[in-house]
Amino acid sequence: MSSFALFPVAAQEEQALTPPDAELAPIAYLFDVTSGQILFEREADRRFMPASITKVMTTFLAFEWMEEGKILPQQSFTIRPEIWKKWNNVGSTMFLPHDARVSVDDLVHGVTTVSANDGAAALADGAAGSVEEWVAAMNAKAAEIGMRDSHFGTPNGWMDDGHTFVTARDLTTLATQMLRRHPTKYRHYVGHTEFTYNNITQPNHDPISGVVPGADGIKTGFTNQAGYGFLGSAERNGRRLVMVVAASPRARDRNRAARDLIEWGFSAFDQQRLFAPDVPVAFAEVQGGASSDVALVSPHGIFVDIPAGGHRDVKLTVHYDGPLRAPIRKGEKVARLVVSIDGMSDYTIPLAARDEVPEAGFGRRILNGMLGWIS
């Protein structure tokens, strides 16, 4: 384990670390994807019904399957009669005809932009062979990316007696993975102000896109049981924030809370880059390798958010179970960096091996043995 401290970051006048209108959203969470920091949280691990925010997992799974070649944007599905009968004009819809043959691209746009319940069900059934198989894949993917306290019972979030539930922390994990793994697909499908299908144009009810500078999604949700919620994101000057507000009693409360929270996140903190992507943060000792150490890097760089106007000490501590044993793959996550900022919660960033370290050959093993004996 090693550690080192950085100089305090100074500014003029420190702001309060509580966003305005916080009471309008009983559940609230603000996360800086760029730095990995939690900027604000309230009831972050409280389970709640996400309603149509469920469709973000359907969208993410569609992105994953596109990437794997399981489905293609230009591919078309014929809507089965039982799917059409169950979801025709149920809640938000893209008005799929009973005999529609519709592309994956249109279905995903319908899901992300107009919250199409029929589109989500048609996508699930067409891609996986049944809605049940798709939902099982949703839950498997949620577990894979670390959504530890969420479960999905439908592809669209329609009321299902509480079988579908999430937490704000888990939704932020989902959004972060979507943004990092699929930035091109995210830009193509998320954040549009309207969508036209079958000559019917409908607006997106996203409360921040087109209103908050840099905002580009992601998804609203509402049922009488769930109240009003929103999973949103915005980017300014290379800095990406993700936020959740949920359980608001009125749409205007949710919308105001969402806008105020994301604006506060950009204004209340100053961000500094400490290390560029793939620049060594530290070196870890390696045993039995062609090299005696390996550089530890963050593929996304190391950033810190400091409350605007304050003096805060920043301490970085590298942890790994060492010495590491060869072979080590390039990009393998082998250590973690704990960032401690005075007066704020610690957070952890995974560190990866910058280079491959193969096992040592015979001559290198002899040299390593001699060096170890000398030391």
Side-chain angles (χ1 to χ4, degrees):
M1 184 181 74
S2 62
S3 66
F4 59 95
L6 303 177
F7 291 108
V9 178
Q12 295 293 322
E13 183 179 352
E14 187 165 346
Q15 299 186 26
L17 288 183
T18 302
D21 300 318
E23 71 281 356
L24 298 178
I27 298 170
Y29 195 81
L30 182 63
F31 181 74
D32 190 322
V33 175
T34 310
S35 68
Q37 280 178 262
I38 300 167
L39 303 182
F40 181 79
E41 59 179 315
R42 180 173 56 248
E43 300 283 2
D45 297 309
R46 171 181 158 188
R47 291 180 176 181
F48 66 93
M49 292 177 286
S52 285
I53 301 175
T54 298
K55 298 182 179 88
V56 180
M57 175 52 80
T58 282
T59 301
F60 178 65
L61 184 59
F63 288 178
E64 292 278 282
W65 282 24
M66 288 179 193
E67 198 71 20
E68 296 166 12
K70 293 181 178 179
I71 57 175
L72 301 172
Q74 64 270 26
Q75 182 179 359
S76 293
F77 299 134
T78 298
I79 310 305
R80 292 196 296 131
E82 52 267 43
I83 297 296
W84 183 85
K85 183 177 180 180
K86 182 173 182 178
W87 295 107
N88 179 46
N89 288 330
V90 176
S92 301
T93 176
M94 60 188 288
F95 300 105
L96 290 170
H98 71 90
D99 58 350
R101 184 163 178 79
V102 58
S103 70
V104 168
D105 188 75
D106 276 342
L107 288 172
V108 178
H109 273 296
V111 168
T112 58
T113 309
V114 301
S115 195
N117 288 325
D118 53 352
L123 175 64
D125 184 67
S130 72
V131 169
E132 292 74 22
E133 287 296 319
W134 179 267
V135 170
M138 291 170 68
N139 285 308
K141 186 61 67 174
E144 175 193 314
I145 65 174
M147 297 177 70
R148 296 183 177 86
D149 202 22
S150 297
H151 184 268
F152 298 98
T154 73
N156 52 28
W158 192 252
M159 293 168 286
D160 62 356
D161 297 320
H163 293 293
T164 297
F165 56 84
V166 297
T167 67
R169 196 182 309 277
D170 280 355
L171 285 180
T172 301
T173 297
L174 172 59
T176 299
Q177 290 298 313
M178 176 184 285
L179 287 158
R180 285 184 170 169
R181 293 190 187 188
H182 306 291
T184 302
K185 294 180 181 65
Y186 179 86
R187 288 191 296 270
H188 179 70
Y189 287 105
V190 178
H192 298 284
T193 57
E194 63 182 21
F195 175 63
T196 300
Y197 174 76
N198 200 23
N199 295 318
I200 301 172
T201 299
Q202 299 183 75
N204 190 341
H205 297 293
D206 172 350
I208 64 173
S209 294
V211 178
V212 174
D216 53 15
I218 302 174
K219 189 74 195 69
T220 58
F222 166 73
T223 64
N224 288 328
Q225 291 177 315
Y228 291 86
F230 179 60
L231 170 63
S233 185
E235 184 178 30
R236 294 182 192 170
N237 301 318
R239 184 182 175 208
R240 169 71 69 173
L241 301 184
V242 166
M243 48 141 299
V244 176
V245 292
S248 291
R250 293 175 293 271
R252 65 176 180 268
D253 293 338
R254 173 200 62 194
N255 295 352
R256 182 176 172 184
R259 293 165 186 164
D260 287 350
L261 183 59
I262 202 93
E263 287 284 12
W264 174 82
F266 282 113
S267 65
F269 297 87
D270 296 325
Q271 186 172 92
Q272 285 198 354
R273 187 177 75 176
L274 305 183
F275 294 91
D278 296 321
V279 170
V281 175
F283 289 82
E285 183 182 359
V286 177
Q287 186 176 61
S291 175
S292 59
D293 61 23
V294 63
L296 303 175
V297 300
S298 169
H300 307 291
I302 305 294
F303 298 81
V304 293
D305 295 322
I306 305 295
H311 293 262
R312 300 291 175 108
D313 287 327
V314 179
K315 182 180 179 181
L316 308 181
T317 308
V318 176
H319 295 269
Y320 66 94
D321 294 328
L324 303 175
R325 292 192 61 83
I328 298 170
R329 301 186 309 274
K330 180 180 179 179
E332 181 180 351
K333 294 178 181 177
V334 294
R336 57 193 180 92
L337 179 71
V338 178
V339 183
S340 303
I341 302 174
D342 185 36
M344 301 179 70
S345 299
D346 292 355
Y347 63 101
T348 301
I349 299 171
L351 297 178
R354 186 189 62 181
D355 307 299
E356 179 184 4
V357 182
E359 288 185 295
F362 179 72
R364 180 70 195 192
R365 289 199 301 272
I366 293 175
L367 178 59
N368 287 345
M370 292 176 63
L371 292 174
W373 180 79
I374 292 171
S375 63

